[in-house]
Amino acid sequence: MAEPPSSLSSFKDELIQLIKRLGTYLALKMSNLFSISLQKLDPRSVGAIAGLAVAIVFTYRLTRSPAPPTRRQPKRQAPTTSSTAISTQSNITLMPSGVYSSSEDLRAQNTFDEFFQPVKPTLGQIVRQKLNEGRKVTCRLLGVILEESSPEELQTKATVRPSVLDVLLEITKICDLYLMERVIDYESEKNVLLALENAGIFTSGGLVKDKVLFCSTENGRTSFVRQLEPDWHIDTNPEIVSQLARFIKYQLHVSPVKTEWTMGKVLSSPSLEQFFGF
């Protein structure tokens, strides 16, 4: 069995070092010999000189010897059909592992993004922010909470707008809310209270029936608001909004047409829910 190339190289290096040490020793001896007269050379001195010459020649030939020829690698034969099939089978087998690794990396990235993405505020936080921490709110029913837009319609029925329900319930949890409307008769009052009850405002929210106020004129609603002194009033009538601008800190004018108000802190929105971003 052939000796490994690494062992041969190590042995060669050790042999070169040994010969060099021997040459150094003989050179020292030779320098001493040159100081002796040629007439006084004895046989031992002559042998030393001859050994030095042999060592020098041997060292030179050993260090100048060409590197051993590299072993030629036999050419690989083209893979047979069976080996190609095995290779293809191996690649197919390895693919699911790569796909699994990619899916794991993607899942980890998604988890990282979800962890560091900004936290979405809750509806309650949005309501508090938009109302500037206001604690008392008065609001008209027609056109804001109810789908109907005139007192005459309330004589037959009243319907709570589904899109405003979540916002309305959140307001009842945070604020002291009063709902008010002008009605024509007692039947209209019953229809309004029944619609609010069916919508769950009296059960899910913090509103009680005593905080639903009715009057027979628009001025009556203005009087209600001034007596209650709310932080916010929400209305669809621009005249009432204008009259209350001097007395109410904040107002929201609900109208499909945006109105630019120059008096007081009056904001405008197409609907109550859109004012809160819904």
Side-chain angles (χ1 to χ4, degrees):
M1 183 175 180
E3 189 174 357
S6 59
S7 300
L8 292 175
S9 176
S10 177
F11 176 77
K12 181 179 177 180
D13 293 339
E14 293 177 359
L15 181 60
I16 291 174
Q17 294 297 329
L18 179 61
I19 293 174
K20 286 182 178 181
R21 288 196 295 270
L22 179 60
T24 301
Y25 174 77
L26 293 177
L28 180 62
K29 286 292 185 180
M30 186 179 68
S31 63
N32 294 332
L33 288 174
F34 279 136
S35 62
I36 301 175
S37 175
L38 293 176
Q39 290 82 5
K40 295 181 179 181
L41 288 177
D42 55 4
R44 288 184 299 174
S45 299
V46 174
I49 295 173
L52 174 62
V54 172
I56 293 173
V57 173
F58 185 80
T59 303
Y60 175 78
R61 294 191 63 182
L62 184 62
T63 56
R64 297 288 296 177
S65 60
T70 57
R71 188 175 181 180
R72 297 181 62 184
Q73 298 291 337
K75 293 183 179 181
R76 294 185 178 181
Q77 297 181 355
T80 60
T81 305
S82 61
S83 64
T84 303
I86 294 174
S87 177
T88 305
Q89 180 76 19
S90 175
N91 293 337
I92 294 175
T93 305
L94 291 176
M95 281 185 65
S97 176
V99 172
Y100 177 76
S101 178
S102 299
S103 63
E104 285 294 323
D105 293 342
L106 181 60
R107 189 179 299 117
Q109 183 64 38
N110 291 338
T111 303
F112 180 85
D113 294 340
E114 291 177 1
F115 183 78
F116 286 100
Q117 71 179 358
V119 179
K120 186 178 180 180
T122 63
L123 179 57
Q125 293 172 334
I126 295 174
V127 171
R128 287 188 180 92
Q129 180 183 7
K130 296 291 285 186
L131 295 180
N132 292 326
E133 300 296 332
R135 293 301 180 185
K136 183 181 287 188
V137 178
T138 56
C139 179
R140 183 182 189 180
L141 284 164
L142 287 175
V144 180
I145 306 301
L146 302 178
E147 292 183 354
E148 291 74 23
S149 58
S150 67
E152 289 75 18
E153 295 178 76
L154 297 179
Q155 291 180 294
T156 56
K157 67 169 185 174
T159 307
V160 176
R161 299 175 57 245
S163 58
V164 80
L165 188 57
D166 290 339
V167 172
L168 181 62
L169 292 175
E170 198 63 41
I171 294 175
T172 61
K173 297 175 184 178
I174 299 172
C175 304
D176 186 14
L177 177 64
Y178 291 83
L179 301 178
M180 53 190 64
E181 190 51 64
R182 179 173 71 90
V183 294
I184 297 175
D185 53 23
Y186 179 70
E187 192 66 27
S188 299
E189 295 183 18
K190 289 173 52 179
N191 292 337
V192 171
L193 293 175
L194 181 61
L196 295 175
E197 185 175 4
N198 292 337
I201 296 176
F202 296 134
T203 55
S204 301
L207 186 68
V208 295
K209 292 183 180 181
D210 291 340
K211 292 184 179 181
V212 182
L213 310 177
F214 299 99
C215 56
S216 58
T217 63
E218 292 292 283
N219 289 335
R221 187 163 74 251
T222 304
S223 299
F224 282 155
V225 176
R226 291 190 61 181
Q227 292 175 16
L228 292 170
E229 297 180 347
D231 299 306
W232 280 82
H233 177 64
I234 304 169
D235 212 298
T236 60
N237 190 330
E239 294 183 4
I240 292 182
V241 172
S242 178
Q243 293 173 13
L244 293 173
R246 294 181 300 166
F247 308 103
I248 307 304
K249 187 175 181 180
Y250 299 103
Q251 289 192 92
L252 176 62
H253 179 221
V254 176
S255 173
V257 180
K258 186 175 181 180
T259 305
E260 296 295 337
W261 294 90
T262 57
M263 59 180 69
K265 295 183 179 179
V266 180
L267 304 177
S268 181
S269 176
S271 66
L272 181 62
E273 61 270 25
Q274 290 186 27
F275 175 70
F276 293 102
F278 291 89

